[in-house]
Amino acid sequence: MQSAKRFAGMMGENEAAALEQSDGIKQANRAVSQINGVTQHNAAPEEEAAAAAKSLEEQTAVLTDAVAVFRVDRNRSSQAVRARCLPDANAVRQRNRRN
């Protein structure tokens, strides 16, 4: 009789452990599903960014080819830019001194 009670007790403990384990597995499955959903959600913008980068790379190549026909004397172009910008810079400095 005692061994039957002990056996029934062990079976009850086994059942409780199995239910606890089952709940743990369900929770783990839910967590994995949530992680999967977030991963997929985050992958979409990443794919869009990669496509945009590829497009910009292609556009850069086209523009590089388009401007390759121009030849510029770097010294002259730098001097020309400075000549155009200096009067503006001086005007800004004078305005800032007044304020």
Side-chain angles (χ1 to χ4, degrees), residues 1-75:
M1 195 71 159
Q2 283 248 345
S3 40
K5 284 183 182 179
R6 222 172 58 197
F7 180 74
M10 287 194 304
M11 290 301 290
E13 288 174 13
N14 255 0
E15 183 182 3
L19 288 173
E20 193 174 319
Q21 213 173 33
S22 176
D23 286 344
I25 290 170
K26 286 177 187 174
Q27 287 177 356
N29 282 337
R30 278 194 297 270
V32 168
S33 291
Q34 288 176 341
I35 291 169
N36 189 32
V38 169
T39 301
Q40 289 178 3
H41 178 73
N42 290 342
E46 181 66 29
E47 289 171 4
E48 290 171 10
K54 179 69 174 165
S55 175
L56 287 173
E57 186 178 24
E58 292 167 356
Q59 291 175 26
T60 300
V62 170
L63 286 172
T64 301
D65 290 344
V67 298
V69 298
F70 298 104
R71 298 286 179 246
V72 179
D73 181 353
R74 290 178 191 228
N75 291 330

